[in-house]
Amino acid sequence: MDYLLTEEQQMIKDLCRQIAEEKIKPVAAEYDETAEFAWDIMKILAESDICGIYIPEEYGGMGGGVFELAIATEQLSWGCGGISLGFAATGLGAFPLLLYGNEGQKAEYLPDIAAGRKLASFALTEAEAGSDAGSIKTSAKKDGDHYIINGTKQWITNAGEAEIYTVIAMTNKSKGARGASAFIVEKDTPGLSFGKKENKMGIRSSATREVIFTDCRVPAKNLLGREGLGFIIAMKTFDNSRPGVAAQALGIAQRALDEAVQYTHERRQFGQAISSFQGVQFMLADMGTQLEAARALIYSAARMIDSGARNVAKVSAMCKMYASDVAMKVTTDAVQLLGGYGYMKEYPVEKLMRDAKITQIYEGTNQIQRSVIASSLIKESLGKK
Amino acid sequence: MPDKAAIKILNEKCTGCGLCVKACPFGAISMEGKQAVIDLTTCTFCGACVEACKFNAILILMKEEAKADLSDYKDLWVFCEQKKGEIQSVSFELLGKGRELADKLGVSLCAVLLGDGMEGCCGGLVARGADKVYLVDSPKLRNYQDDPYSKVLTALVRKHKPEILLCGATTMGRSLISRVAVKTRAGLTADCTGLDIDREEKLLLQTRPAFGGNIMATIITPDTRPQMATVRHKVMKESEPDAKRKGEIIKEGFPEETYSSRSRLIDVVEEIEETVNLAEADIIVSGGRGVGSPDNFDIIKELAVSVNGAVGASRAVVDAGWMPYSHQVGQTGKTVCPKIYIACGISGQIQHLIGMKSADIIVAVNKDPDAPIFSVATYGIVDDLFKIVPALTTHFKKILGK
Amino acid sequence: MKILVLIKQVPETTDVKIDPETNTLKREGVKSIINPFDMYAIEEAVRIKERSGGGQVIAVSMGPPQAMEALREAISMGCDEAVLLSDKKFAGSDTWATSYTLSQAIRKLGDYSVVLCGKQASDGDTAQVGPGVSTHLDIPQVTYIKKIEQINAESARVERMTEEGYEIIETALPAVMTVVKEINEPRLPSLKGKMRAKKAEIPVWTAEDLLCDEEKIGLDGSPTRVIKVFTPPPRQGGRVLAGEPEAVSKELADLLKDVVISS
């Protein structure tokens, strides 16, 4: 399908595809095996100006938005959904700054992110605060011109690798969700430390760690927006970042379909290519159609967000939920189509299936997405009456 | 378009069959309506379309150019390469071919030798077929350097006017001869695999591969002299030495300026690598489970070394720890595209085939006649690899003179 | 320091296959790329510029108008400017005429320190144009460079690959340097580079612009003539060699002889 990309968007897509094919694909299996962070690929992305595509030009970026981030993430994830996350999760960490940072904060941090000199990370989730983000325990206490942060964030992507952390902490516990605030914390701040790298099922080369705050003194100027905005900042950040997760799922799914089409065309049984069997064809047709529908939904949502539309929570949730469900299905079907080979690590599709799973879980489980979608639908319907 | 050459489609004869479009190696012909049209910016007047056209509808007109006074030029020269005072064997190969061509033309075969203290080697060049040896001996010519070598050879050519000059297509020969050709306004054809004489026109017919060997081209140098060509090492057969042959040694010297150089050789570092990088290798010899044990891989390695190739391995072998991962060919290993891939004791699972199926020539050696590897093999041998592989090594060593 | 890079647009030759029915070259859908060896020259030129903290890299190509694409790609990899030499009069140039034409462009650009190019082009494989250019310009050359150890405006110290190893050579500048693939790993284009490339105005110089001697360009200026193009007999596929191991091995060795020797 023709999505009428601008010249610039087409360039981003082509270049990311070239990086995925030439640089990421050849090393993806090895990084999956070793679960190391792919700094060499991050360097390539930096040198190719990819890191700044969603950052305004005045901060050294290319001036794109959620849509550019999505097309880049999709292509990079085609190469490896784990490696691409170093880039995409930096986007997640940067959105609070982009959306709520003041001029000084943006000028201080965005140029380094745009140039790829520094990665960012978003720290919200805690052991007892997953889908229920309002119940976070990490606290930030004002002390003169500093805040003192205490608590532990869990399963934080890019943790330990990133230099810039946007952290949600409670400044006023009594207010519940309205008592949360967002802070920028630099990696070398005393009192900030990291847990060991988690051993994951998929996206194994991405870094997932605990972020531990022990009397971590953060300058008050690092507060994003104002006190009490933390929860809103988190929700708005997710509205902007979910198309990125969806695009990650899409890239993984596209790769699975590509592998399945190639394999079924080459694999011969009963004297013919298995792609000539109707049963196989029907599967391929469904995979391709669902994938394209997901793409259309992601691109529309991303464009809508970039246009400045209000109330994007629903479409953002829809594209994330739909694309990740499609990715899970398409990658599972790809494993099925490759049969025994699909189950073996020899072929890339079992990795795709493992990598796809997380997209149904993080940045809000698909159950949470459905709640968001449903409550939006109900609100809209009530609003009409 | 140069006004001295023209190509045209005879519209009344052209049927629009499209044969010429397919035949054009340069993609210069397209069909407009029912007529072929030639794009003159890409046409090289090679004549492939003329041969392909069944209706004689394409004409190439070459202007009759007055031939320069070419009769002054005579003899066939071979530039003989020396390193550390030793004549390189490519020179003997060129003398072998040169002798044959010189005899066809009825001219003398002359060897040209540049170096320092090389006089003792001249007799050997005569024994290999040279009628004359031009020797330029100077301490400044001890090692190859672009400036002095090209100036000396150019001066020799200008002085003695050979009609043909052959040179090895080596790092030395290619660098040197290109300069001499430009200085003397001579035509030069690289990497010839065939050299012959058109007896009527007394022209050197130079045949070389192009487009990765997918097509061959025959090239001539009609109007300038000398006609220059380079030939790769091992393409022609060495001449046999005949100690009884007699020849003339002609020593030449030039003014000091001729030996001067704007670049300076500081050091020569020799490094011979035993094995070749798998992905870059022209020839790969791979072993699979059929090799039986890590120790048995030695025969695979020996075959690879004998053809300057690299050693590959199937996944089974790498997983078993017989060979390191860096040698693995296939889906999770390397994808390779060598000129020759020799699979020994490899059954040919799909994951292996994916990594090597684009090799130009695939040889399979396997005891099992039903092994899938045979379905992609150019040449298949159903036999024990322990009998075939060592015998192959012996034959290749013989062929390459090792 | 002004660095010039000579590049050639070539077909992606691995895709060129023989049509078994007509026995001719199939060229449909064959992509044009920058000669792979020239990619290393571009990368090295950009690295020299980056290392020296200034200067200018200009890519030069001779070819049909579509070679503009190759020059844009060179800019996207970090070249500052590019020039295309294109004229119907250049058609049919052999290496003599090509190196003459390129040298005229280099003279016109003037004031350069280094001319870089790949050791050879992947379609013609002659390795003659680099040395030809240095001769027309009457400047030194170093071929088959695998490392530039040091370089300043007046001289360079390089490693030149040979059959046995390498030579360390010091050369005065300006000089022509041809490079081998061991010298570096070419970078991918950058987004900003691609955008710059898109917008770049690339001048097209004709024979007249280059003040070419008409006797030295195109088919007329080329001493060599291609008189015949033919396809080698297609190789036989899927043969099973049978017989005693010794005889079979010999048969196979003979079949592979030509390829083994030329490799």
Side-chain angles (χ1 to χ4, degrees), chain C:
Chain C
M1 196 162 20
K2 195 196 261 186
I3 305 160
L4 310 181
V5 193
L6 309 181
I7 67 172
K8 182 179 185 185
Q9 193 179 44
V10 297
E12 213 173 20
T13 44
T14 47
D15 287 356
V16 179
K17 290 268 150 64
I18 297 169
D19 185 328
E21 280 176 20
T22 59
N23 206 24
T24 54
L25 228 54
K26 285 200 279 192
R27 284 181 59 98
E28 299 96 77
V30 177
K31 239 174 71 184
S32 286
I33 55 168
I34 294 179
N35 168 36
F37 295 110
D38 295 340
M39 297 288 271
Y40 301 96
I42 295 171
E43 175 66 29
E44 199 61 24
V46 175
R47 284 189 191 186
I48 294 171
K49 181 190 151 176
E50 287 170 350
R51 265 205 311 258
S52 64
Q56 189 187 23
V57 180
I58 305 176
V60 181
S61 186
M62 172 178 141
Q66 53 269 34
M68 199 70 102
E69 275 314 300
L71 289 169
R72 291 202 191 279
E73 194 180 336
I75 291 177
S76 76
M77 287 174 68
C79 294
D80 298 291
E81 288 172 35
V83 183
L84 176 66
L85 319 181
S86 196
D87 193 324
K88 286 183 179 180
K89 289 179 183 163
F90 298 149
S93 292
D94 72 359
T95 56
W96 202 103
T98 302
S99 53
Y100 169 76
T101 310
L102 287 166
S103 69
Q104 288 298 100
I106 293 166
R107 280 181 209 278
K108 187 173 160 82
L109 286 163
D111 193 30
Y112 56 91
S113 299
V114 188
V115 179
L116 280 164
C117 59
K119 65 163 180 161
Q120 64 199 56
S122 63
D123 55 349
D125 275 334
T126 70
Q128 287 169 192
V129 171
V133 167
S134 76
T135 312
H136 281 293
L137 294 169
D138 195 22
I139 59 174
Q141 72 179 25
V142 186
T143 50
Y144 306 101
I145 293 176
K146 74 176 184 85
K147 187 177 179 188
I148 296 181
E149 290 181 356
Q150 56 188 59
I151 185 163
N152 57 45
E154 284 82 42
S155 70
R157 190 180 162 109
V158 302
E159 293 177 6
R160 172 181 187 266
M161 211 162 80
T162 64
E163 286 79 358
E164 293 80 22
Y166 62 95
E167 301 170 343
I168 299 170
I169 292 175
E170 212 166 75
T171 185
L173 296 183
V176 169
M177 299 186 179
T178 78
V179 302
V180 295
K181 62 175 187 286
E182 285 75 7
I183 195 165
N184 58 42
E185 190 186 335
R187 71 192 66 190
L188 291 171
S190 71
L191 215 48
K192 285 176 188 162
K194 273 180 162 249
M195 286 176 191
R196 220 159 41 77
K198 191 100 201 170
K199 290 183 202 132
E201 284 194 21
I202 298 177
V204 179
W205 289 350
T206 62
E208 201 178 325
D209 296 325
L210 297 177
L211 308 173
C212 284
D213 179 346
E214 300 248 337
E215 303 270 292
K216 292 181 177 173
I217 57 169
L219 191 66
D220 278 352
S222 299
T224 60
R225 287 283 180 283
V226 177
I227 53 164
K228 195 172 142 197
V229 176
F230 58 101
T231 46
R235 72 163 200 255
Q236 304 228 307
R239 260 176 68 192
V240 173
L241 310 179
E244 286 303 304
E246 176 59 27
V248 168
S249 305
K250 178 154 191 341
E251 187 184 354
L252 180 61
D254 286 337
L255 285 166
L256 300 180
K257 190 171 104 179
D258 289 343
V259 185
V260 169
I261 284 172
S262 66
S263 291

Side-chain angles (χ1 to χ4, degrees), chain A residues 104-368:
Chain A
Q105 291 165 337
K106 286 181 178 176
E108 185 169 357
Y109 296 106
L110 290 179
D112 281 342
I113 295 175
R117 284 187 292 271
K118 292 179 179 173
L119 300 184
S121 170
F122 183 64
L124 168 67
T125 303
E126 298 178 6
E128 287 165 49
S131 297
D132 179 10
S135 65
I136 54 172
K137 296 219 162 53
T138 298
S139 65
K141 210 182 255 169
K142 188 94 188 261
D143 178 30
D145 54 359
H146 280 77
Y147 283 91
I148 301 169
I149 303 181
N150 277 290
T152 300
K153 296 290 177 182
Q154 194 177 41
W155 301 331
I156 303 305
T157 304
N158 277 0
E161 312 293 339
E163 299 287 329
I164 300 163
Y165 296 81
T166 42
V167 180
I168 307 294
M170 300 304 285
T171 40
N172 189 342
K173 257 187 194 140
S174 62
K175 286 189 177 173
R178 283 167 201 274
S181 301
F183 299 89
I184 305 161
V185 183
E186 294 182 38
K187 189 184 185 182
D188 55 8
T189 311
L192 177 63
S193 61
F194 304 98
K196 71 162 179 52
K197 190 167 175 173
E198 303 289 348
N199 189 6
K200 304 190 293 293
M201 171 188 184
I203 55 163
R204 289 174 48 77
S205 88
S206 76
T208 311
R209 291 187 173 90
E210 281 180 339
V211 179
I212 304 155
F213 300 90
T214 318
D215 290 332
C216 180
R217 286 176 68 85
V218 176
K221 69 176 174 66
N222 285 16
L223 173 71
L224 282 165
R226 53 184 160 75
E227 274 192 28
L229 268 187
F231 194 68
I232 291 172
I233 290 176
M235 293 307 112
K236 291 285 174 199
T237 290
F238 284 141
D239 285 350
N240 279 267
S241 68
R242 278 181 187 128
V245 178
Q248 179 195 24
L250 179 65
I252 294 168
Q254 182 66 56
R255 175 68 181 282
L257 178 64
D258 293 348
E259 294 287 340
V261 170
Q262 191 196 336
Y263 177 87
T264 54
H265 184 64
E266 280 169 5
R267 172 73 169 177
R268 298 180 73 82
Q269 291 288 277
F270 308 106
Q272 50 192 312
I274 62 170
S275 61
S276 62
F277 298 121
Q278 216 172 38
V280 170
Q281 290 179 346
F282 285 3
M283 285 175 78
L284 292 175
D286 287 348
M287 291 158 80
T289 308
Q290 288 159 357
L291 220 150
E292 205 58 59
R295 180 174 289 120
L297 185 54
I298 296 167
Y299 287 8
S300 302
R303 281 176 161 149
M304 192 175 148
I305 296 165
D306 284 339
S307 74
R310 294 166 62 88
N311 303 327
V312 292
K314 183 183 75 177
V315 289
S316 176
M318 278 178 165
C319 75
K320 189 272 186 186
M321 180 269 281
Y322 186 70
S324 56
D325 282 353
V326 164
M328 203 59 237
K329 178 171 182 306
V330 168
T331 53
T332 309
D333 284 351
V335 170
Q336 187 67 26
L337 285 170
L338 269 80
Y341 289 114
Y343 199 72
M344 300 298 151
K345 292 213 167 186
E346 194 75 33
Y347 276 77
V349 291
E350 61 81 31
K351 170 182 181 292
L352 297 170
M353 184 172 158
R354 287 186 284 112
D355 287 351
K357 186 62 209 176
I358 190 64
T359 62
Q360 292 181 306
I361 299 171
Y362 64 8
E363 293 196 30
T365 64
N366 281 7
Q367 287 68 34
I368 287 287

Side-chain angles (χ1 to χ4, degrees), chain B residues 135-157:
Chain B
L135 172 68
V136 187
D137 217 64
S138 160
K140 297 272 178 71
L141 299 176
R142 168 171 284 270
N143 290 300
Y144 173 74
Q145 293 194 88
D146 289 306
D147 273 352
Y149 267 63
S150 58
K151 281 188 281 184
V152 166
L153 187 55
T154 302
L156 281 174
V157 165

Side-chain angles (χ1 to χ4, degrees), chain B residues 173-183 188, chain C residues 126-128 131-132 135:
Chain B
R174 286 171 156 214
S175 307
L176 165 68
I177 202 80
S178 306
R179 298 200 118 194
V180 177
V182 164
K183 284 192 188 179
L188 169 60
Chain C
T126 70
Q128 287 169 192
T135 312

